[in-house]
Amino acid sequence: MAITFAVTEIMLNTGLIVEPPQDGMTLFIGSNNSGKSLLLRELDAQIELPGTTAGRTTRWIRQALPRHGGSSEDFIASLEERGYRTWTPSTAEHYVSPNGAVILKDSMPQRWTSFSLAELTPFLKQTLWTENRLQVEGEVDHWDPLLPPQSKLQYLYEDRAAESRFSDLVHQAFRHHVCVDR
């Protein structure tokens, strides 16, 4: 079984409850400066750290309920399928999340079962704000190949099969192949 991760309910401060479709897309549409980005930032904060709005004023979101499915074995398999590799700086294997957090591989099953959101969401979602969406991969510090990859380009450099899959997807969308210049 594949893993799933979704927001099942968003309660706005007005009391309105939005239930995003599980197999679809939810669009927030409005004019410039109407609060779309703020709503998404508040949603992002709720997904990463549920309940963090207590005592804080938010403009849009009172609560968001994330849900996950699949086994811990499926979760670990999905990490490896998406290019995450274990790293052994000492005697125990670790995973390094996209935000740089180090998580012991042996603790992953318990974390998935208890769904420790703050620790696992970097592996499950990626927020692409304008300022980091346009970041050039060339701005990443020099990479030591003995350490885990810290950027998407480094993952592709390390895994030729992932590079090939990525190139196929780019070709489907844009009719051009891409490759890592090694």
Side-chain angles (χ1 to χ4, degrees):
M1 176 180 161
I3 63 163
T4 59
F5 177 69
V7 175
T8 58
E9 180 179 296
I10 303 168
M11 180 184 286
L12 301 178
N13 285 333
T14 62
L16 176 69
I17 295 176
V18 178
E19 295 178 356
Q22 297 306 295
D23 292 328
M25 187 181 309
T26 301
L27 302 174
F28 296 102
I29 300 170
S31 60
N32 289 345
N33 296 315
S34 63
K36 301 179 300 292
S37 293
L38 177 60
L39 183 142
L40 291 172
R41 287 182 196 279
E42 289 179 6
L43 179 59
D44 187 52
Q46 276 289 319
I47 291 169
E48 286 221 9
L49 299 168
T52 57
T53 58
R56 285 191 348 208
T57 303
T58 60
R59 179 173 174 195
W60 295 108
I61 298 189
R62 183 179 306 161
Q63 180 179 16
L65 302 176
R67 177 184 57 80
H68 76 296
S71 69
S72 59
E73 293 82 13
D74 293 333
F75 177 62
I76 291 172
S78 78
L79 290 177
E80 292 170 5
E81 180 180 301
R82 290 182 292 137
Y84 292 100
R85 68 174 170 95
T86 56
W87 177 54
T88 311
S90 58
T91 57
E93 289 184 292
H94 295 73
Y95 283 104
V96 178
S97 74
N99 66 1
V102 176
I103 300 175
L104 286 171
K105 182 178 181 178
D106 291 343
S107 72
M108 288 296 219
Q110 185 275 332
R111 290 172 192 268
W112 181 256
T113 304
S114 67
F115 203 45
S116 304
L117 280 174
E119 297 149 342
L120 297 183
T121 53
F123 292 106
L124 298 167
K125 70 166 189 69
Q126 183 178 17
T127 50
L128 296 173
W129 305 115
T130 303
E131 53 272 13
N132 63 359
R133 184 177 66 223
L134 300 176
Q135 178 186 15
V136 177
E137 283 289 328
E139 295 173 3
V140 176
D141 291 337
H142 181 71
W143 175 49
D144 179 352
L146 298 176
L147 298 176
Q150 293 294 310
S151 76
K152 292 159 198 66
L153 187 58
Q154 292 168 358
Y155 281 108
L156 295 177
Y157 178 89
E158 186 174 71
D159 187 339
R160 288 185 186 260
E163 176 189 2
S164 179
R165 289 190 307 272
F166 177 71
S167 181
D168 290 344
L169 291 170
V170 170
H171 185 262
Q172 275 182 332
F174 303 107
R175 299 288 178 232
H176 292 281
H177 286 282
V178 296
C179 68
V180 176
D181 182 0
R182 289 178 172 79

